[in-house]
Each structure stands twice: as structure tokens, then as C-alpha cells.
Amino acid sequence: MKRFISRPGAVGAAGPPDDQPGVTARPDDGRAITAEPDIGTAGRINGRPSPGRPRWRARAVPFWFLIPALALYGFVVIWPSLQGAAFSLTDWDGLSPTKDFVGLANFRELWSDDVARGAVRQTIIIAIAVTIIQNGFGLLLALGVNTQIRSRNLLRVLLFAPAVITPVITAFLWRHLLAPTGAVNDVLGAVGLGALQRDWLGNPDLALWSVVAVIVWQFAGLSMVIFLAGLQSIPREIYEAAAIDGTGPIRRFWYVVRPMLAPAITINLVLSMIGGLKLFDQVWVMTGGGPGRATETLSTLLYKEAFQFGAFGYSIALAIVLTAFVAVLASVQYGFLRRQEESAQ
Amino acid sequence: MRNQRRFVTAAVAATTMVLAACGGDADSDETTEGTGAEGNQADAPAGEDGADLSGTLTLSGTASDRPAVEAVIELFEAEYPDVTVETTFADTEPYQATLRTQLTSGTAPDVFFAWPGNGNPGAVQVLAPNGFLRDLGDRPWADSVPEGMHAVTDVDGTRYLLPMAFSGIGAIYNQAAMDEIGAAAPETWDEVLTLCQTAQDAGKVAFALGNQTNWVTQLINYALAATNVYGADENFVDSMAAGDATFAGSDWVGTMEQYMQMNDAGCFQSDPLGTSYETTIDMVATGDALAVVQGTWAIALLAEQAPDGEFRLAALPATNDPNETVMPGAPSGTFAVNAEPAEPDLALAFIDFMATPEAMNTFAETGGSLPAIPNDQYEVDPALEELIEFQSAGRTVPFMDQLWPNPRVQEAHLTGVQEIFAGETSIGDVLQTMDEAYAKGQ
């Protein structure tokens, strides 16, 4: 079982030095053992310039194969989006055939509008809170069901189940559960925790966190599944080797599991950040942005501005700000996580 | 399912329609090219063909009017067996969004619901100036629309809406619960506060309040402001429009203070901000709460939940002189005709049919309201006796938002009330925000 750890040395000793160690190691060693380490090195070979690359280039598809798909995408997505974005420079009300060019007035109004700034703040709080809490729970759940406990398959299904329900439906459900006389408060009262009973969605200080809690409840299972997939691709030998080297569970997680999980962490963090930023359905159903404006997000605000007030120009300006947020935050986050991933390898 | 079946019928009907309109043989197997029924049908005087009309009429309305509209459609289809009415219903917000999109893209239904007055994106005074609505001034019923409604059915003197019903806002009492604690509906402001105390002593809630649902937040203010502001000064609306009156400088302040006084006096259940409209209906239906301040539309819901219950609408008094009390009352179920309907004859035939006493009474009875154009065939629902009294005595004022120039005033009001209940803002600030929104105009 020490064979994996000592493999580099073994390669050097067993065969002539070669620039493709993973390949030449194979004939020398036992098959079961060398097949596993190849999984770990595969990413490294594709991720960096390496001898494998010229072969890949030879098989590359000509770029003009992309043209039909790009043309369709451009026609259906890019062009209408640009066209729509142009409306943010007008005062169009969504109804009248005429509109006036107003330059950047909508963006200036957005900047000075307390409601819009509040929405930006709430949106960011939700996105960050959901990202951290949902993935924290997701990871713990994944570690939990990745053990040998007997009911692990059932647990995996149950924990993932909320993620397959339409968010609007879970939101309606939770709106009832979190009502002052709803099930949550009833349960708290029944187990003697009456002092913890709250007006979960009616208290402006709590409402935002109640919304976050519902989203975490729903999507922690999704994070769990992605983490679980990552965990299951970690070869058993690594755990065993780490155990033999005498690492405790925490150090083993930090130094062995976490680096191997890096791709799963990236996917989860980026997905939940984007999901948190564009959050609409749960907020809309549970609080409608209220009480007052306590849970207004950029998405609910832009919906209201467009479809309730007919301020299409302004709401498109909001949408552009939201898009910019998603693009900037997601790419910064992604870049950071990629570096983490690479350094982990 | 139902719409799908109708669609199939509609498709069959549509192919034979042109032939029928030309006086051709409707049973013929010939298919007709194109969709152009318009040219041929334009000559036929609408409504006079009676049962000869055929085709598919499209209609859309809000979900709350659905039972009433469907009852009328049933009558219409019985009278015009060759006509199929294809309907779409949606809740307020999606309805507003869909209707506006359909209107701008030319795909709106032939007949559709539009809000009376102004103050919301689907209101007649927003839609008509863009040329989307047909002038209904030439219809036989146009002159019988009661004068008190003209301010919200007309735009610049042109009639665009047929009001089907008359709704009011007041306190809807559960009679059994009231009898149980030996209370009577209050007629003065002091009696309102006394009722709150009596209810609390009996372990009940006097008024269920569902302020989580944002449109509910405004109703108590409307009920009180009707007397305090709009009843006390008949010219208040005009003064505001002229810029001579403001919310913050009027008795809206006293109105909101009374709202909070009710809150302080324990008139409402705890946590109104976490309570939804549906929950309050439950509370009144079961008798846990004595009453809810709501519109007439809630009566039908209450009756559905408690079929044996007896519910009565009464004005919510704001002063200690019962003679001063005024109720908010406004046309509802207001329908417009598309300026360019796909089926002009059917659209007009349908709107004319809706104006008949038979259709109007059916609409009112199903929807728990009064017929908008009074007629002697209507049997008064005892729940609505007080509203009829107020209506015939001219002691009603339109719903306030119907006379506001843009939807932001109402939005400022709704979020403002929630923030006041959350202790985050003051009455003065909310009214000032409403004034600012009002000042933005159309």
C-alpha cells in the first residue's frame, strides 16, 4: 500500500527516465496499482503544455464548424440581448410606439436610488450567504453520506430530493411553514423552545435570512451531489496511504481530500454564487420583496420596474447592472478557484 | 384540458366561419384560403345577426373574476351556439405583464379586462391613450353606465370600459362569531375600538390583517380615508390634481394614525406582516377572527370555506358620527374591447351581451358583488345590503388608487404601510414618498 506514495521513485528505478511517466510505468508495475494514479495525473497532462498536446491539435475540428451554431446563437441570444441593452438608454414605457434617447440617465437614477442600492446590497448578501452556507452544508452532507453508514443510498436520495422540486413550489410551502401560526413555530412551541418563535418572514431583520435558509434547504442537496461525485473519484489508496502515514480526519480532509475536490468546489461555488445573484422565484413568492423592501433583490426590483411600473428603460438598466455583477463576480471567483485548483495539483 | 378542447372546436369553427359570414353553406367541406374574415364581416352590423354569429372569440381576465366570467360565457354560448369563447385567466401581476406585451405585439384577445381609472399598468387611462382600446360610446348600453363611474370608465370623455360589477371595501363580519360574543357591527370609531377590546376579552381577534400580501395593506387606510379625506372634502381629488392638496398635508395623516391606533389597541392578530391574505380568510371563516377589512370579492371566498356561515359587509366607521361614514366603492369586472380585434363582430356581440341585466346579475351573483348597472331583476344578497344603501345614497367614493396618476403612488403606499408596521419608518415619511410619486404625474 505504500506503493503509491513511493511511485515516482519506483518509476525512476524500474524503467529509463521518460517524458511520459504515466505511460511507461504501466508495463513495469501491477495493473491495478498503476491504473489508479493515472486518474490523478490526467488533468495535469491536459492542463499544461505537454507532449500529449500536438496529438490533440492534429485531431482538432476546423473552427468554421462552429459557424452554424454561432450564427443561431447570435441570432437568438446575442443580437436580441444587445438590442434589449440599447433600450436601457431610452425612456421606453413598454407600451407606447415612441421612445426618447436619454443617454445614461437611467444608470444615474439607479445610482442615486435608495431602493436600487438596497436591492444591490440585499442581492450581494444573499449571494454570499447562500454560497458559503449552502456549500458548507453540502460538503458536510457529502462527507457524511460518503461513509459506510447503512442507509447512505436512501439518505442521498432524501437529501437531494428538495433540489428537484420547482423553487416556486418549495417557496409556497415554506411561506406556510414559516407563517406566525405555521408549522415551524408550532414545532418550536411543542418542544419547549417557544422563546425562539419568530415572525420569520414578517420581521424585516429576519426575512432575508429566512429566504437564505429556504434556499440552502433546497439546494444543499445539489451541492452535496456534486461534492459526492468528487469524493467518489478520489482513489481509496490515497485515503489508505494517508491513514498509514497517521493523519487524523481533519488533516486528512485538508491536505488530501480538499485538493482532490478542487474541481467540485469550483463548480459548486460558481453555480451557487450565480444562483444567489439572480435569485427571483423564492423571494417573489415568500415575501414579494417585503416586508417593506427588506428582501428586495435586483431581480424582483427589475421585474417590478418593468411589469408593474412600465419603466422598461430603467429596468433594463438594472438588468445590465445585474449581468455585470454576475459576470465580474463569477469570473473573479472562477479565476481565483482555478489558481487554487492548479496549485492543489 | 378545457382550453385544449375549445381550441379544437375553435379551429373547426374558424374554417367554416368565413363561409357563414358570406351567407355560404356552413356545412360545405370547402376550405377557405387565408384568415381574412375581417373584410367580409365588416359590413354585417354587429349584434343584429344574433344566433347567426359563429367563430371563436378570445377573452382574458384576472383570476379573481374567473368564476363570474365563466358563468357569463356559459349564458353567451347558450345564446350563440356557434360561437366559442376561448379564455385565459391570470393573477394580477402576470396578467398586467402579459396584457401589455400582447397589446404591443398585436396579439391581445378580442375582449379583455382592464382596470378602471389609473394608477396601475393595466388601467384604462394608461392603455387607451396608446390607441389599444375601442371606443364603446356607440354601444346601446353606453349611456346607462352610472354617472358616478364615468371618472374611471372614461378617458377624456370617451367611454372605453363596460363595468360588470360594483365592489366595496369595508369590514366583513362573521355573524356567528359576532353573536357568540354578543357584539354588533360598530357604527362609530369608538365602537370599533370597543369591539377590539371585547374580542380580546373573549380570546378572539377583532380584525384579521394579512399585511404580508402587499395589496391588503392598503385596505384599512382606504376604508378610513373614504370618510376622513374623500367624504369630508368632495373636491379633494381635484385639489390634489391641481397641486393644491397633498397626502402629507391632509387627513391621510389622521387616517394612518387611526390604522396604527387599531394596531396598538390589539385589533389585529399578532404578526400581521407574516400573515397572508389566505390566512386571514381562514381566520374569519373559522370564527377565530370576527372580521376582516376587505373588498366584496372576499365574501365569495369566505362562503366557499364556510358554506353555512353568514357574512356581512359593513362600512368601517372612521368618526363618531355615523352620518359622516362613506365607503370606498368602485366598478369592478371592467371589460374593454381590443381596438383591432380578430373578431370584431363577436367582440361587440359579447360586450353587448355582458351589458344585459341577465349577464350582469349572473356576474354579480357569482362574484359576490352588485351589478354595475342597476336593474330590478337583481335579488340583493343580504351580505351586501349595506353597500347597496351606501351606493344608492351616493355615499361611496372610488378606490383611491384609481384616481392616482401612476402606479408608484400605490407602491409607495403598500411598502410604506409594511415599513410602518415593521417600525422602520414614520407616517409622515410614507405620505411624503407618496406625494413625491404623485408629483411625477403620468
Side-chain angles (χ1 to χ4, degrees):
Chain A
M1 284 302 136
K2 282 179 89 171
R3 270 173 293 189
F4 173 67
I5 299 281
S6 58
R7 192 179 66 87
V11 169
D18 198 301
D19 53 1
Q20 286 176 305
V23 177
T24 50
R26 199 165 282 167
D28 303 328
D29 230 319
R31 240 155 100 214
I33 300 144
T34 46
E36 300 279 2
D38 275 348
I39 295 169
T41 53
R44 207 191 306 174
I45 289 167
N46 288 338
R48 292 178 185 167
S50 74
R53 199 162 167 187
R55 254 197 296 156
W56 178 83
R57 192 178 283 159
R59 274 185 278 126
V61 179
F63 78 94
W64 48 264
F65 271 33
L66 280 174
I67 288 176
L70 272 183
L72 190 66
Y73 184 73
F75 178 71
V76 176
V77 177
I78 298 176
W79 177 240
S81 300
L82 291 176
Q83 230 178 354
F87 280 113
S88 69
L89 305 175
T90 70
D91 63 354
W92 191 44
D93 65 358
L95 205 58
S96 55
T98 59
K99 51 186 169 290
D100 295 320
F101 182 79
V102 296
L104 294 174
N106 286 324
F107 292 92
R108 277 197 294 275
E109 190 184 335
L110 194 158
W111 190 249
S112 61
D113 184 359
D114 286 342
V115 176
R117 284 201 307 230
V120 168
R121 192 179 59 237
Q122 274 111 236
T123 303
I124 292 177
I125 292 178
I126 291 181
I128 294 177
V130 165
T131 304
I132 295 174
I133 305 173
Q134 176 186 316
N135 290 303
F137 271 110
L139 183 57
L140 289 177
L141 292 174
L143 291 170
V145 297
N146 195 35
T147 55
Q148 298 302 316
I149 54 170
R150 191 162 297 185
S151 54
R152 61 185 184 278
N153 285 330
L154 179 68
L155 281 175
R156 286 173 192 175
V157 171
L158 286 181
L159 292 169
F160 183 65
V164 300
I165 310 173
T166 311
V168 172
I169 294 174
T170 57
F172 268 113
L173 199 78
W174 278 102
R175 199 183 79 186
H176 284 283
L177 296 177
L178 292 171
T181 52
V184 171
N185 279 342
D186 283 353
V187 168
L188 286 174
V191 300
L193 291 173
L196 291 180
Q197 288 174 340
R198 293 283 183 281
D199 184 3
W200 301 105
L201 294 173
N203 179 336
D205 299 326
L206 273 179
L208 192 67
W209 297 104
S210 303
V211 170
V212 168
V214 170
I215 297 162
V216 169
W217 171 83
Q218 174 155 27
F219 291 111
L222 187 67
S223 295
M224 178 198 77
V225 166
I226 295 172
F227 281 129
L228 192 59
L231 285 174
Q232 295 192 333
S233 71
I234 301 177
R236 290 189 53 78
E237 285 76 8
I238 297 184
Y239 288 111
E240 288 163 359
I244 289 168
D245 285 354
T247 52
I250 292 174
R251 287 168 61 86
R252 188 164 63 220
F253 171 75
W254 192 254
Y255 292 108
V256 179
V257 176
R258 186 187 57 92
M260 304 288 286
L261 265 187
I265 294 175
T266 305
I267 291 172
N268 264 333
L269 293 189
V270 172
L271 282 182
S272 51
M273 177 66 90
I274 294 175
L277 284 173
K278 69 179 177 66
L279 190 68
F280 178 80
D281 357 16
Q282 292 94 334
V283 173
W284 192 250
V285 172
M286 280 195 288
T287 65
R293 303 198 180 278
T295 57
E296 200 85 81
T297 65
L298 274 173
S299 297
T300 59
L301 186 63
L302 79 86
Y303 175 84
K304 284 183 187 175
E305 287 291 339
F307 297 111
Q308 294 189 350
F309 304 144
F312 270 75
Y314 184 62
S315 84
I316 292 170
L318 281 167
I320 288 177
V321 169
L322 175 61
T323 311
F325 263 119
V326 172
V328 170
L329 283 177
S331 54
V332 166
Q333 190 191 32
Y334 184 70
F336 174 75
L337 292 166
R338 278 306 290 188
R339 278 202 303 281
Q340 292 280 99
E341 262 180 61
E342 285 174 13
S343 67
Q345 287 170 5
Chain B
M1 280 296 115
R2 179 169 188 173
N3 283 345
Q4 213 168 7
R5 200 187 61 224
R6 283 193 171 160
F7 178 76
V8 175
T9 329
V12 175
T15 48
T16 57
M17 172 184 64
V18 177
L19 299 170
C22 300
D25 180 13
D27 295 326
S28 158
D29 287 328
E30 279 180 58
T31 49
T32 316
E33 277 185 39
T35 54
E38 306 83 18
N40 295 324
Q41 288 199 329
D43 300 332
E48 287 171 27
D49 287 345
D52 291 346
L53 283 174
S54 65
T56 301
L57 175 77
T58 50
L59 176 143
S60 68
T62 54
S64 54
D65 282 338
R66 182 178 192 143
V69 172
E70 284 183 340
V72 171
I73 289 175
E74 206 168 296
L75 294 178
F76 180 77
E77 287 180 339
E79 181 125 356
Y80 295 83
D82 297 332
V83 179
T84 310
V85 183
E86 211 174 281
T87 59
T88 318
F89 294 97
D91 280 332
T92 302
E93 279 147 7
Y95 182 77
Q96 288 167 343
T98 312
L99 179 64
R100 288 172 65 107
T101 311
Q102 288 177 329
L103 284 170
T104 45
S105 60
T107 54
D110 301 330
V111 176
F112 52 85
F113 171 83
W115 276 268
N118 205 326
N120 93 53
V124 63
Q125 287 169 14
V126 174
L127 302 178
N130 284 297
F132 294 127
L133 308 184
R134 187 190 191 280
D135 175 357
L136 297 176
D138 61 346
R139 305 321 300 162
W141 46 264
D143 290 333
S144 28
V145 174
E147 210 178 317
M149 298 181 182
H150 293 179
V152 291
T153 56
D154 298 7
V155 182
D156 295 332
T158 307
R159 192 140 306 144
Y160 289 103
L161 289 182
L162 167 68
M164 291 299 287
F166 184 78
S167 304
I169 294 173
I172 303 171
Y173 293 95
N174 178 332
Q175 203 53 49
M178 292 290 276
D179 293 343
E180 193 184 319
I181 65 165
E187 291 186 0
T188 65
W189 173 245
D190 286 346
E191 287 174 20
V192 170
L193 298 178
T194 314
L195 178 69
C196 295
Q197 193 55 51
T198 317
Q200 275 177 294
D201 294 344
K204 285 185 186 294
V205 172
F207 297 96
L209 181 61
N211 275 359
Q212 184 184 57
T213 307
N214 73 347
W215 60 264
V216 170
T217 57
Q218 65 194 335
L219 299 178
I220 290 186
N221 275 341
Y222 282 10
L224 297 171
T227 305
N228 288 336
V229 182
Y230 299 83
D233 175 7
E234 283 179 11
N235 299 317
F236 184 78
V237 172
D238 295 332
S239 314
M240 257 200 110
D244 299 334
T246 60
F247 293 112
S250 70
D251 215 15
W252 267 91
V253 180
T255 300
M256 287 221 186
E257 282 168 2
Q258 281 180 298
Y259 196 170
M260 297 321 292
Q261 207 179 333
M262 286 178 81
N263 191 36
D264 296 339
C267 293
F268 312 128
Q269 84 286 357
S270 60
D271 302 326
L273 284 179
T275 309
S276 67
Y277 168 52
E278 293 81 6
T279 309
T280 60
I281 297 295
D282 267 356
M283 291 170 70
V284 179
T286 55
D288 289 344
L290 303 179
V292 60
V293 176
Q294 264 296 348
T296 30
W297 51 84
I299 296 175
L301 284 178
L302 285 165
E304 207 173 275
Q305 300 230 357
D308 301 329
E310 188 190 337
F311 301 97
R312 272 172 189 277
L313 177 81
L316 183 69
T319 67
N320 284 328
D321 179 359
N323 294 321
E324 289 176 355
T325 305
V326 172
M327 270 176 109
S332 57
T334 40
F335 283 84
V337 173
N338 192 332
E340 287 165 2
E343 295 289 344
D345 291 354
L346 294 184
L348 291 177
F350 188 75
I351 200 102
D352 290 348
F353 181 82
M354 285 180 101
T356 60
E358 185 194 9
M360 220 161 249
N361 293 347
T362 305
F363 190 96
E365 279 158 22
T366 320
S369 51
L370 299 175
I373 302 176
N375 62 75
D376 46 18
Q377 296 160 31
Y378 179 70
E379 277 179 44
V380 180
D381 178 347
L384 297 173
E385 270 166 5
E386 186 157 330
L387 180 61
I388 294 184
E389 261 170 50
F390 274 74
Q391 185 192 18
S392 48
R395 288 169 65 190
T396 60
V397 292
F399 296 167
M400 288 76 202
D401 55 284
Q402 294 177 349
L403 301 168
W404 291 339
N406 65 61
R408 287 182 197 275
V409 186
Q410 187 178 28
E411 163 77 3
H413 185 212
L414 302 180
T415 50
V417 171
Q418 284 190 335
E419 285 175 342
I420 291 175
F421 270 83
E424 293 191 320
T425 187
S426 68
I427 290 172
D429 285 348
V430 171
L431 292 174
Q432 200 172 340
T433 316
M434 288 169 66
D435 278 322
E436 283 162 15
Y438 189 99
K440 283 185 182 165
Q442 288 274 5

